[in-house]
Amino acid sequence: MKMNLDPTALLPAASQPTAAQPSPKDQAALKKTCQDFEAIFIQSMFKAMRKTVGQDGLFAKNNATAIFEDMLDQNIAADMAKKQSLGLADQIYHQMEKNLPKGK
């Protein structure tokens, strides 16, 4: 009687080789890129919303005010993207994660 034994069948599941995973460095870079993209999207949304607000107000609009508003919008947008408030970065990350190169 001849028996063929598969040595991997005798090993516990934890020691069996698993499918290759992307490197943590690649995953972190992709996550940061997705958050940056979401921040740019939010900032452009803020810019479009500011255009709808009238120019008459308590303070006169000048170049310094415009620069300050742009910087404020950029900062708020970056904070929103880090906290996943829209969830756009998370959705893009899960979609793009499939395309990351697999490590050994």
Side-chain angles (χ1 to χ4, degrees):
M1 175 155 93
K2 187 174 182 182
M3 293 179 65
N4 290 330
L5 292 177
D6 183 12
T8 58
L10 302 174
L11 296 174
S15 64
Q16 289 183 356
T18 58
Q21 296 292 323
S23 73
K25 185 179 178 182
D26 288 342
Q27 290 175 331
L30 178 62
K31 188 167 188 77
K32 173 78 170 99
T33 303
C34 293
Q35 285 177 348
D36 290 346
F37 178 79
E38 183 176 357
I40 292 169
F41 177 78
I42 294 170
Q43 185 180 4
S44 67
M45 194 170 60
F46 284 162
K47 186 182 262 188
M49 289 190 310
R50 282 202 190 274
K51 286 181 182 179
T52 64
V53 178
Q55 297 298 323
D56 296 338
L58 184 60
F59 300 108
K61 285 274 192 173
N62 58 18
N63 196 26
T65 306
I67 291 171
F68 174 77
E69 285 178 350
D70 283 343
M71 289 171 51
L72 179 66
D73 290 347
Q74 183 179 12
N75 217 356
I76 292 171
D79 286 343
M80 286 178 69
K82 284 180 187 172
K83 295 177 182 168
Q84 298 290 324
S85 60
L86 293 183
L88 182 63
D90 193 38
Q91 291 296 322
I92 294 172
Y93 176 80
H94 288 305
Q95 188 70 29
M96 299 296 290
E97 185 181 28
K98 300 169 191 170
N99 298 329
L100 285 175
K102 305 294 183 195
K104 291 183 179 181

Coordinates of all heavy atoms in Angstrom, one line a residue:
M1 N 0.8 -1.2 0.0 CA 0.0 0.0 0.0 C 0.9 1.2 0.0 O 1.8 1.4 0.8 CB -0.9 0.0 1.2 CG -1.7 1.2 1.3 SD -3.2 1.0 2.2 CE -3.0 1.4 3.8
K2 N 0.6 2.1 -1.0 CA 1.4 3.3 -1.1 C 0.6 4.5 -0.7 O -0.5 4.7 -1.1 CB 1.9 3.4 -2.6 CG 2.8 4.5 -2.8 CD 3.3 4.5 -4.3 CE 4.3 5.6 -4.5 NZ 4.8 5.6 -5.9
M3 N 1.2 5.4 0.2 CA 0.5 6.5 0.7 C 1.3 7.8 0.3 O 2.5 7.8 0.5 CB 0.3 6.5 2.2 CG -0.5 5.4 2.7 SD -0.7 5.4 4.5 CE -1.5 6.9 4.8
N4 N 0.6 8.7 -0.2 CA 1.2 10.0 -0.6 C 0.7 11.0 0.5 O -0.5 11.3 0.6 CB 0.7 10.5 -1.9 CG 1.3 9.7 -3.0 OD1 2.4 9.1 -2.9 ND2 0.6 9.6 -4.2
L5 N 1.7 11.5 1.2 CA 1.4 12.5 2.2 C 1.9 13.9 1.8 O 3.0 14.0 1.3 CB 2.0 12.2 3.6 CG 1.5 10.9 4.3 CD1 2.3 10.7 5.5 CD2 0.0 11.1 4.6
D6 N 1.0 14.9 2.0 CA 1.4 16.2 1.7 C 2.0 16.8 3.0 O 1.2 17.0 4.0 CB 0.2 17.0 1.2 CG 0.5 18.4 0.8 OD1 1.7 18.8 0.7 OD2 -0.5 19.2 0.7
P7 N 3.2 17.3 3.0 CA 3.8 17.8 4.3 C 3.1 19.0 4.7 O 3.1 19.3 5.9 CB 5.3 18.0 3.9 CG 5.5 17.7 2.5 CD 4.2 17.2 2.0
T8 N 2.6 19.8 3.8 CA 1.9 21.1 4.3 C 0.6 20.8 5.0 O 0.2 21.6 5.8 CB 1.7 22.0 3.1 OG1 0.9 21.3 2.1 CG2 3.0 22.5 2.4
A9 N 0.0 19.6 4.7 CA -1.2 19.3 5.4 C -1.0 19.0 6.9 O -1.9 19.1 7.7 CB -1.9 18.1 4.7
L10 N 0.2 18.6 7.2 CA 0.5 18.2 8.6 C 0.9 19.5 9.4 O 1.0 19.4 10.6 CB 1.7 17.2 8.6 CG 1.4 15.9 7.9 CD1 2.6 15.0 7.8 CD2 0.2 15.2 8.5
L11 N 1.3 20.5 8.7 CA 1.7 21.8 9.4 C 0.5 22.5 10.0 O -0.6 22.5 9.4 CB 2.5 22.7 8.5 CG 3.8 22.1 8.0 CD1 4.4 23.1 7.0 CD2 4.8 22.0 9.1
P12 N 0.6 23.2 11.1 CA -0.5 24.0 11.6 C -0.7 25.1 10.6 O 0.1 25.5 9.8 CB 0.0 24.5 12.9 CG 1.3 24.1 13.1 CD 1.7 23.2 12.0
A13 N -1.9 25.7 10.6 CA -2.3 26.7 9.7 C -1.5 28.0 9.8 O -1.2 28.6 8.8 CB -3.8 27.1 9.9
A14 N -1.0 28.3 11.0 CA -0.2 29.5 11.1 C 1.1 29.4 10.5 O 1.7 30.5 10.0 CB -0.1 29.8 12.6
S15 N 1.7 28.2 10.4 CA 3.0 28.1 9.8 C 3.0 27.9 8.2 O 4.0 27.9 7.6 CB 3.8 27.0 10.4 OG 3.1 25.8 10.1
Q16 N 1.8 27.8 7.7 CA 1.7 27.6 6.2 C 1.9 29.0 5.6 O 1.5 30.0 6.1 CB 0.3 27.0 5.9 CG 0.2 25.6 6.2 CD -1.2 25.0 5.8 OE1 -2.0 25.7 5.2 NE2 -1.4 23.7 6.0
P17 N 2.5 29.0 4.4 CA 2.7 30.2 3.7 C 1.4 30.9 3.3 O 0.5 30.2 2.9 CB 3.6 29.9 2.5 CG 3.4 28.4 2.3 CD 3.0 27.8 3.7
T18 N 1.3 32.2 3.5 CA 0.0 32.9 3.2 C 0.3 33.7 1.9 O 1.4 33.8 1.4 CB -0.4 33.8 4.3 OG1 0.7 34.8 4.5 CG2 -0.7 33.1 5.6
A19 N -0.8 34.2 1.4 CA -0.6 35.0 0.2 C 0.2 36.3 0.5 O 0.1 36.8 1.6 CB -2.0 35.5 -0.3
A20 N 1.0 36.7 -0.5 CA 1.8 37.9 -0.3 C 1.0 39.1 0.0 O 0.0 39.3 -0.7 CB 2.7 38.0 -1.5
Q21 N 1.5 39.9 0.9 CA 0.8 41.2 1.3 C 1.6 42.3 0.8 O 2.8 42.3 0.8 CB 0.6 41.2 2.8 CG -0.4 40.2 3.3 CD -1.8 40.4 2.9 OE1 -2.3 41.5 2.8 NE2 -2.5 39.3 2.6
P22 N 1.0 43.5 0.5 CA 1.8 44.7 0.2 C 2.6 45.1 1.4 O 2.2 44.9 2.5 CB 0.7 45.7 -0.2 CG -0.6 45.0 -0.4 CD -0.4 43.7 0.4
S23 N 3.7 45.8 1.2 CA 4.5 46.2 2.3 C 3.8 47.3 3.0 O 3.1 48.1 2.5 CB 5.9 46.7 1.7 OG 5.7 47.9 1.1
P24 N 4.1 47.4 4.3 CA 3.5 48.5 5.2 C 3.9 49.9 4.7 O 3.1 50.8 4.8 CB 4.0 48.2 6.6 CG 4.4 46.8 6.6 CD 4.8 46.4 5.2
K25 N 5.0 50.0 4.1 CA 5.5 51.3 3.6 C 4.6 51.7 2.4 O 4.2 52.9 2.3 CB 7.0 51.2 3.2 CG 7.6 52.4 2.8 CD 9.0 52.2 2.4 CE 9.6 53.5 1.9 NZ 11.0 53.4 1.5
D26 N 4.3 50.7 1.5 CA 3.5 51.1 0.4 C 2.1 51.4 0.8 O 1.4 52.3 0.3 CB 3.4 49.9 -0.6 CG 4.7 49.7 -1.4 OD1 5.5 50.7 -1.4 OD2 4.9 48.6 -1.9
Q27 N 1.6 50.7 1.8 CA 0.2 50.9 2.3 C 0.1 52.3 3.0 O -0.8 53.0 2.7 CB -0.2 49.9 3.3 CG -0.5 48.5 2.7 CD -0.8 47.4 3.7 OE1 -0.3 47.5 4.9 NE2 -1.5 46.4 3.3
A28 N 1.1 52.7 3.7 CA 1.2 54.0 4.4 C 1.2 55.1 3.3 O 0.6 56.2 3.5 CB 2.3 54.1 5.4
A29 N 2.1 54.9 2.3 CA 2.2 55.9 1.2 C 0.9 56.1 0.5 O 0.5 57.2 0.2 CB 3.3 55.5 0.3
L30 N 0.2 55.0 0.2 CA -1.1 55.1 -0.5 C -2.1 55.8 0.4 O -2.9 56.6 -0.1 CB -1.6 53.7 -0.9 CG -2.9 53.6 -1.6 CD1 -2.9 54.4 -2.9 CD2 -3.3 52.2 -1.8
K31 N -2.2 55.5 1.7 CA -3.1 56.1 2.6 C -2.9 57.6 2.6 O -3.8 58.4 2.6 CB -3.0 55.5 3.9 CG -4.1 56.0 4.9 CD -4.1 55.1 6.1 CE -5.3 55.4 7.0 NZ -6.5 54.8 6.5
K32 N -1.6 58.0 2.7 CA -1.3 59.4 2.8 C -1.7 60.1 1.5 O -2.3 61.2 1.5 CB 0.2 59.6 3.0 CG 0.7 61.0 2.9 CD 0.4 61.8 4.2 CE 1.2 63.1 4.2 NZ 0.3 64.2 3.8
T33 N -1.4 59.5 0.3 CA -1.8 60.0 -1.0 C -3.3 60.2 -1.1 O -3.8 61.2 -1.6 CB -1.3 59.2 -2.1 OG1 0.1 59.0 -1.9 CG2 -1.6 59.8 -3.5
C34 N -4.1 59.2 -0.6 CA -5.5 59.3 -0.7 C -6.0 60.4 0.2 O -7.0 61.1 -0.2 CB -6.1 58.0 -0.3 SG -5.8 56.6 -1.4
Q35 N -5.4 60.6 1.4 CA -5.8 61.7 2.3 C -5.5 63.0 1.6 O -6.3 64.0 1.7 CB -5.1 61.6 3.6 CG -5.7 60.5 4.5 CD -5.0 60.3 5.8 OE1 -3.9 60.9 6.0 NE2 -5.6 59.6 6.7
D36 N -4.4 63.1 1.0 CA -4.0 64.4 0.3 C -5.0 64.7 -0.8 O -5.4 65.9 -1.0 CB -2.6 64.3 -0.3 CG -1.5 64.3 0.8 OD1 -1.8 64.6 2.0 OD2 -0.4 63.9 0.5
F37 N -5.4 63.7 -1.6 CA -6.4 63.9 -2.6 C -7.7 64.4 -2.1 O -8.3 65.3 -2.6 CB -6.6 62.6 -3.4 CG -7.6 62.8 -4.5 CD1 -7.3 63.4 -5.7 CD2 -8.9 62.3 -4.3 CE1 -8.2 63.6 -6.7 CE2 -9.9 62.5 -5.3 CZ -9.5 63.1 -6.5
E38 N -8.1 63.7 -1.0 CA -9.4 64.2 -0.3 C -9.3 65.6 0.2 O -10.2 66.4 0.0 CB -9.8 63.3 0.8 CG -11.1 63.6 1.5 CD -11.6 62.7 2.5 OE1 -10.9 61.7 2.8 OE2 -12.6 62.9 3.1
A39 N -8.1 66.0 0.7 CA -7.9 67.4 1.2 C -8.0 68.4 0.0 O -8.6 69.4 0.2 CB -6.6 67.5 1.9
I40 N -7.5 68.0 -1.1 CA -7.5 68.9 -2.3 C -9.0 69.0 -2.8 O -9.4 70.1 -3.1 CB -6.6 68.4 -3.4 CG1 -5.2 68.5 -3.1 CG2 -6.9 69.1 -4.8 CD1 -4.2 67.8 -4.0
F41 N -9.7 67.9 -2.7 CA -11.1 67.9 -3.1 C -11.9 68.8 -2.2 O -12.7 69.6 -2.6 CB -11.7 66.5 -3.1 CG -13.1 66.4 -3.5 CD1 -13.6 66.5 -4.8 CD2 -14.1 66.2 -2.5 CE1 -14.9 66.4 -5.1 CE2 -15.4 66.2 -2.8 CZ -15.8 66.3 -4.1
I42 N -11.7 68.7 -0.9 CA -12.5 69.5 0.1 C -12.1 71.0 -0.1 O -13.0 71.8 0.0 CB -12.2 69.0 1.5 CG1 -12.7 67.6 1.7 CG2 -12.8 70.0 2.5 CD1 -12.3 66.9 3.0
Q43 N -10.8 71.2 -0.3 CA -10.4 72.6 -0.5 C -11.0 73.3 -1.7 O -11.5 74.4 -1.7 CB -8.9 72.7 -0.6 CG -8.4 74.2 -0.6 CD -6.9 74.3 -0.7 OE1 -6.2 73.2 -0.8 NE2 -6.4 75.5 -0.7
S44 N -11.1 72.5 -2.8 CA -11.8 73.1 -4.0 C -13.3 73.2 -3.8 O -13.9 74.2 -4.3 CB -11.5 72.2 -5.2 OG -12.1 70.9 -5.1
M45 N -13.8 72.4 -2.9 CA -15.2 72.6 -2.6 C -15.5 73.8 -1.8 O -16.4 74.6 -2.0 CB -15.7 71.3 -1.8 CG -17.2 71.2 -1.6 SD -17.7 69.6 -1.0 CE -16.9 69.6 0.6
F46 N -14.5 74.1 -0.8 CA -14.6 75.3 0.0 C -14.5 76.6 -0.9 O -15.2 77.6 -0.7 CB -13.5 75.4 1.1 CG -13.8 74.5 2.2 CD1 -12.8 74.1 3.1 CD2 -15.1 74.0 2.5 CE1 -13.0 73.3 4.2 CE2 -15.3 73.2 3.6 CZ -14.3 72.9 4.5
K47 N -13.5 76.5 -1.9 CA -13.3 77.6 -2.8 C -14.6 77.9 -3.6 O -14.9 79.1 -3.8 CB -12.1 77.3 -3.7 CG -11.7 78.5 -4.6 CD -10.6 78.1 -5.5 CE -9.3 78.6 -4.9 NZ -8.2 78.4 -5.8
A48 N -15.2 76.9 -4.1 CA -16.5 77.1 -4.8 C -17.6 77.6 -3.9 O -18.4 78.5 -4.4 CB -16.9 75.7 -5.4
M49 N -17.6 77.2 -2.7 CA -18.6 77.7 -1.8 C -18.4 79.2 -1.4 O -19.3 80.0 -1.3 CB -18.7 76.9 -0.5 CG -19.3 75.5 -0.7 SD -19.6 74.6 0.8 CE -18.2 74.7 1.7
R50 N -17.1 79.6 -1.3 CA -16.8 81.0 -1.0 C -17.2 81.9 -2.1 O -17.5 83.1 -1.9 CB -15.3 81.1 -0.7 CG -14.9 80.7 0.7 CD -13.6 81.3 1.1 NE -13.1 80.7 2.3 CZ -13.5 81.1 3.5 NH1 -14.3 82.0 3.7 NH2 -13.0 80.5 4.6
K51 N -17.2 81.4 -3.4 CA -17.5 82.3 -4.5 C -19.0 82.6 -4.4 O -19.4 83.6 -5.0 CB -17.3 81.5 -5.8 CG -15.8 81.5 -6.2 CD -15.6 80.8 -7.5 CE -14.1 80.7 -7.8 NZ -13.9 80.0 -9.1
T52 N -19.8 81.8 -3.7 CA -21.3 82.1 -3.7 C -21.6 83.2 -2.6 O -22.7 83.7 -2.6 CB -22.0 80.9 -3.3 OG1 -21.7 80.4 -2.0 CG2 -21.8 79.8 -4.4
V53 N -20.6 83.5 -1.7 CA -20.8 84.5 -0.7 C -20.6 85.9 -1.2 O -19.6 86.1 -1.9 CB -19.9 84.2 0.5 CG1 -20.1 85.2 1.6 CG2 -20.2 82.8 1.1
G54 N -21.4 86.8 -0.9 CA -21.3 88.2 -1.4 C -20.1 88.9 -0.8 O -19.5 88.5 0.2
Q55 N -19.6 89.9 -1.5 CA -18.3 90.6 -1.2 C -18.6 91.7 -0.1 O -17.7 92.2 0.5 CB -17.7 91.2 -2.4 CG -17.2 90.1 -3.4 CD -16.2 89.2 -2.8 OE1 -15.3 89.6 -2.1 NE2 -16.3 87.9 -3.2
D56 N -19.9 92.1 0.0 CA -20.1 93.2 1.0 C -20.1 92.6 2.4 O -20.7 91.6 2.7 CB -21.5 93.8 0.7 CG -21.6 94.5 -0.6 OD1 -20.6 94.9 -1.1 OD2 -22.7 94.6 -1.1
G57 N -19.4 93.3 3.2 CA -19.3 92.8 4.6 C -18.6 93.8 5.5 O -18.4 95.0 5.1
L58 N -18.3 93.4 6.7 CA -17.7 94.3 7.7 C -16.3 94.7 7.3 O -15.9 95.9 7.4 CB -17.7 93.6 9.0 CG -17.2 94.4 10.2 CD1 -18.1 95.7 10.4 CD2 -17.2 93.6 11.5
F59 N -15.6 93.8 6.7 CA -14.2 94.1 6.3 C -14.0 94.1 4.8 O -14.7 93.3 4.1 CB -13.2 93.0 6.9 CG -13.3 93.0 8.4 CD1 -13.9 91.9 9.1 CD2 -12.7 94.0 9.2 CE1 -13.9 91.9 10.4 CE2 -12.8 94.0 10.6 CZ -13.4 92.9 11.2
A60 N -13.2 94.9 4.3 CA -13.0 95.0 2.9 C -12.1 93.8 2.5 O -11.2 93.4 3.2 CB -12.3 96.3 2.5
K61 N -12.4 93.3 1.3 CA -11.6 92.2 0.7 C -10.4 92.7 0.1 O -10.4 93.6 -0.7 CB -12.4 91.4 -0.3 CG -13.5 90.5 0.2 CD -12.9 89.2 0.6 CE -14.0 88.2 0.9 NZ -13.6 86.9 1.0
N62 N -9.2 92.2 0.5 CA -8.0 92.6 -0.2 C -7.2 91.3 -0.4 O -7.6 90.2 -0.1 CB -7.2 93.6 0.7 CG -6.9 93.2 2.1 OD1 -7.0 92.0 2.4 ND2 -6.6 94.1 2.9
N63 N -5.9 91.5 -0.9 CA -5.1 90.3 -1.2 C -4.8 89.5 0.1 O -4.7 88.3 0.0 CB -3.8 90.8 -1.9 CG -3.1 89.7 -2.6 OD1 -3.8 88.7 -3.0 ND2 -1.8 89.8 -2.8
A64 N -4.5 90.2 1.2 CA -4.1 89.5 2.4 C -5.3 88.7 2.9 O -5.1 87.5 3.4 CB -3.7 90.5 3.5
T65 N -6.5 89.2 2.8 CA -7.7 88.4 3.2 C -7.9 87.2 2.4 O -8.2 86.1 2.9 CB -8.9 89.3 3.2 OG1 -8.7 90.5 3.9 CG2 -10.1 88.6 3.7
A66 N -7.7 87.3 1.1 CA -7.8 86.2 0.2 C -6.7 85.1 0.5 O -7.1 83.9 0.5 CB -7.7 86.6 -1.3
I67 N -5.5 85.5 0.8 CA -4.5 84.5 1.1 C -4.8 83.8 2.4 O -4.6 82.6 2.5 CB -3.1 85.3 1.2 CG1 -2.6 85.7 -0.2 CG2 -2.0 84.3 1.8 CD1 -1.4 86.6 -0.2
F68 N -5.3 84.6 3.4 CA -5.6 84.0 4.7 C -6.7 83.0 4.5 O -6.7 81.9 5.1 CB -6.0 85.1 5.7 CG -6.5 84.5 7.0 CD1 -5.6 84.0 7.9 CD2 -7.9 84.5 7.2 CE1 -6.1 83.5 9.1 CE2 -8.3 83.9 8.4 CZ -7.4 83.5 9.4
E69 N -7.8 83.3 3.7 CA -8.9 82.4 3.5 C -8.4 81.1 2.8 O -8.9 80.0 3.2 CB -10.0 83.1 2.7 CG -10.8 84.1 3.6 CD -11.9 84.8 2.8 OE1 -11.9 84.7 1.5 OE2 -12.7 85.5 3.4
D70 N -7.5 81.3 1.8 CA -7.0 80.1 1.2 C -6.2 79.2 2.1 O -6.4 78.0 2.1 CB -6.1 80.5 0.0 CG -6.9 81.0 -1.2 OD1 -8.1 80.7 -1.3 OD2 -6.3 81.6 -2.1
M71 N -5.4 79.8 2.9 CA -4.6 79.0 3.9 C -5.5 78.4 5.0 O -5.3 77.2 5.4 CB -3.6 79.9 4.6 CG -2.5 80.3 3.7 SD -1.3 81.6 4.3 CE -0.9 80.9 5.9
L72 N -6.6 79.1 5.4 CA -7.5 78.5 6.4 C -8.2 77.3 5.7 O -8.4 76.3 6.4 CB -8.5 79.6 6.8 CG -9.6 79.2 7.8 CD1 -8.9 78.8 9.1 CD2 -10.6 80.3 8.0
D73 N -8.7 77.5 4.5 CA -9.4 76.4 3.8 C -8.5 75.2 3.7 O -9.0 74.1 3.9 CB -9.9 76.9 2.5 CG -11.1 77.9 2.6 OD1 -11.6 78.0 3.7 OD2 -11.4 78.5 1.6
Q74 N -7.2 75.4 3.3 CA -6.3 74.3 3.1 C -6.1 73.6 4.5 O -6.1 72.3 4.5 CB -5.0 74.9 2.6 CG -3.9 73.8 2.3 CD -2.7 74.4 1.8 OE1 -2.4 75.6 1.8 NE2 -1.8 73.6 1.3
N75 N -6.0 74.3 5.6 CA -5.7 73.7 6.8 C -7.0 72.9 7.3 O -6.8 71.8 7.8 CB -5.4 74.8 7.9 CG -4.4 74.3 8.9 OD1 -4.0 73.2 8.9 ND2 -4.0 75.2 9.7
I76 N -8.1 73.5 7.2 CA -9.4 72.8 7.6 C -9.6 71.5 6.7 O -10.0 70.5 7.2 CB -10.6 73.7 7.5 CG1 -10.5 74.8 8.5 CG2 -11.9 73.0 7.6 CD1 -11.5 75.9 8.4
A77 N -9.3 71.7 5.4 CA -9.5 70.5 4.5 C -8.5 69.4 4.9 O -8.9 68.2 4.9 CB -9.2 71.0 3.0
A78 N -7.3 69.7 5.2 CA -6.3 68.7 5.6 C -6.8 68.0 6.9 O -6.7 66.7 7.0 CB -4.9 69.3 5.8
D79 N -7.3 68.7 7.8 CA -7.8 68.1 9.1 C -9.0 67.2 8.8 O -9.1 66.2 9.4 CB -8.2 69.2 10.1 CG -6.9 69.9 10.7 OD1 -5.8 69.3 10.6 OD2 -7.1 71.0 11.3
M80 N -9.9 67.7 8.0 CA -11.1 66.9 7.6 C -10.7 65.6 7.0 O -11.2 64.5 7.2 CB -12.0 67.7 6.7 CG -12.8 68.8 7.5 SD -13.9 69.7 6.4 CE -15.1 68.5 6.0
A81 N -9.7 65.6 6.1 CA -9.3 64.4 5.4 C -8.6 63.4 6.3 O -8.8 62.2 6.2 CB -8.3 64.8 4.2
K82 N -7.8 63.9 7.3 CA -7.2 63.0 8.3 C -8.2 62.3 9.2 O -8.0 61.2 9.6 CB -6.2 63.8 9.2 CG -5.0 64.2 8.5 CD -4.0 64.9 9.4 CE -2.8 65.4 8.7 NZ -2.0 66.3 9.5
K83 N -9.3 63.0 9.4 CA -10.4 62.4 10.3 C -11.4 61.6 9.6 O -12.4 61.2 10.2 CB -11.0 63.5 11.1 CG -10.0 64.2 12.1 CD -10.7 65.3 12.8 CE -9.6 66.0 13.7 NZ -10.0 67.3 14.2
Q84 N -11.2 61.5 8.3 CA -12.1 60.7 7.4 C -13.6 61.2 7.5 O -14.5 60.4 7.6 CB -12.1 59.2 7.8 CG -10.8 58.5 7.6 CD -10.4 58.3 6.2 OE1 -11.3 58.1 5.4 NE2 -9.2 58.5 5.8
S85 N -13.7 62.5 7.5 CA -15.1 63.0 7.7 C -16.0 62.8 6.5 O -17.1 62.6 6.6 CB -15.0 64.5 8.0 OG -14.4 65.2 7.0
L86 N -15.4 62.8 5.3 CA -16.2 62.5 4.1 C -16.1 61.0 3.7 O -17.0 60.5 3.0 CB -15.7 63.4 2.9 CG -15.9 64.9 2.9 CD1 -15.4 65.5 1.7 CD2 -17.3 65.2 3.2
G87 N -15.0 60.4 4.0 CA -14.8 59.0 3.7 C -14.3 58.8 2.3 O -14.2 57.6 1.9
L88 N -14.0 59.8 1.6 CA -13.5 59.7 0.2 C -12.2 59.0 0.1 O -11.9 58.1 -0.7 CB -13.5 61.0 -0.5 CG -13.1 61.1 -2.0 CD1 -14.1 60.3 -2.8 CD2 -12.9 62.5 -2.4
A89 N -11.3 59.4 1.0 CA -9.9 58.8 1.0 C -10.0 57.3 1.3 O -9.2 56.5 0.8 CB -9.0 59.5 2.0
D90 N -10.8 57.0 2.3 CA -11.0 55.5 2.6 C -11.5 54.7 1.5 O -11.0 53.6 1.2 CB -11.9 55.4 3.8 CG -11.9 54.1 4.5 OD1 -10.8 53.5 4.6 OD2 -12.9 53.6 4.9
Q91 N -12.5 55.2 0.7 CA -13.0 54.5 -0.4 C -11.9 54.4 -1.5 O -11.8 53.3 -2.1 CB -14.2 55.2 -1.0 CG -15.4 55.2 -0.1 CD -15.9 53.8 0.1 OE1 -15.9 53.0 -0.8 NE2 -16.3 53.4 1.4
I92 N -11.2 55.5 -1.8 CA -10.1 55.4 -2.8 C -9.1 54.4 -2.4 O -8.6 53.6 -3.2 CB -9.6 56.8 -3.0 CG1 -10.6 57.7 -3.7 CG2 -8.3 56.7 -3.9 CD1 -10.2 59.2 -3.8
Y93 N -8.7 54.4 -1.1 CA -7.7 53.5 -0.6 C -8.1 52.1 -0.8 O -7.3 51.3 -1.3 CB -7.4 53.8 0.9 CG -6.4 52.8 1.5 CD1 -5.1 53.0 1.3 CD2 -6.8 51.7 2.2 CE1 -4.1 52.1 1.8 CE2 -5.9 50.8 2.7 CZ -4.6 51.0 2.6 OH -3.7 50.1 3.1
H94 N -9.3 51.7 -0.5 CA -9.7 50.3 -0.6 C -9.8 49.9 -2.1 O -9.5 48.8 -2.4 CB -11.1 50.1 0.0 CG -11.0 50.1 1.5 ND1 -10.2 49.3 2.2 CD2 -11.7 50.8 2.4 CE1 -10.3 49.5 3.5 NE2 -11.2 50.5 3.7
Q95 N -10.1 50.8 -3.0 CA -10.1 50.6 -4.4 C -8.7 50.4 -5.0 O -8.4 49.5 -5.7 CB -10.8 51.7 -5.1 CG -11.1 51.4 -6.6 CD -12.1 50.3 -6.8 OE1 -13.0 50.1 -6.0 NE2 -12.0 49.6 -7.9
M96 N -7.8 51.2 -4.5 CA -6.4 51.2 -5.1 C -5.5 50.2 -4.4 O -4.5 49.8 -5.0 CB -5.8 52.6 -4.9 CG -6.5 53.7 -5.7 SD -6.5 53.5 -7.4 CE -4.8 53.8 -7.8
E97 N -5.9 49.7 -3.2 CA -5.1 48.8 -2.5 C -4.8 47.5 -3.3 O -3.8 46.8 -3.2 CB -5.7 48.5 -1.1 CG -4.9 47.6 -0.2 CD -5.7 47.3 1.1 OE1 -6.9 47.3 1.1 OE2 -5.0 47.1 2.1
K98 N -5.8 47.2 -4.1 CA -5.7 46.0 -4.9 C -4.6 46.0 -5.9 O -4.1 45.0 -6.3 CB -7.0 45.7 -5.6 CG -8.2 45.6 -4.7 CD -9.5 45.6 -5.5 CE -10.7 45.8 -4.6 NZ -11.9 46.0 -5.3
N99 N -4.2 47.2 -6.3 CA -3.1 47.4 -7.3 C -1.7 47.5 -6.7 O -0.8 47.7 -7.5 CB -3.4 48.7 -8.1 CG -4.7 48.5 -8.9 OD1 -5.1 47.4 -9.2 ND2 -5.5 49.6 -9.0
L100 N -1.6 47.5 -5.4 CA -0.3 47.6 -4.8 C 0.6 46.4 -5.1 O 0.1 45.3 -5.2 CB -0.4 47.7 -3.2 CG -0.8 49.1 -2.7 CD1 -1.0 49.0 -1.2 CD2 0.1 50.2 -3.0
P101 N 1.9 46.6 -5.3 CA 2.8 45.4 -5.5 C 2.8 44.6 -4.3 O 2.9 45.0 -3.2 CB 4.1 46.1 -5.9 CG 4.1 47.4 -5.3 CD 2.6 47.8 -5.3
K102 N 2.8 43.3 -4.5 CA 2.8 42.3 -3.4 C 4.2 42.0 -3.0 O 5.1 41.9 -3.8 CB 2.1 41.0 -3.8 CG 0.7 41.2 -4.3 CD -0.2 41.6 -3.2 CE -1.6 41.7 -3.8 NZ -2.5 42.5 -3.0
G103 N 4.5 42.0 -1.7 CA 5.8 41.6 -1.1 C 6.0 40.1 -1.1 O 5.1 39.4 -1.4
K104 N 7.1 39.7 -0.6 CA 7.4 38.3 -0.5 C 7.1 37.8 0.9 O 7.0 38.3 1.8 CB 8.9 38.1 -0.7 CG 9.3 38.3 -2.2 CD 10.7 38.0 -2.4 CE 11.0 38.2 -3.9 NZ 12.4 37.9 -4.2

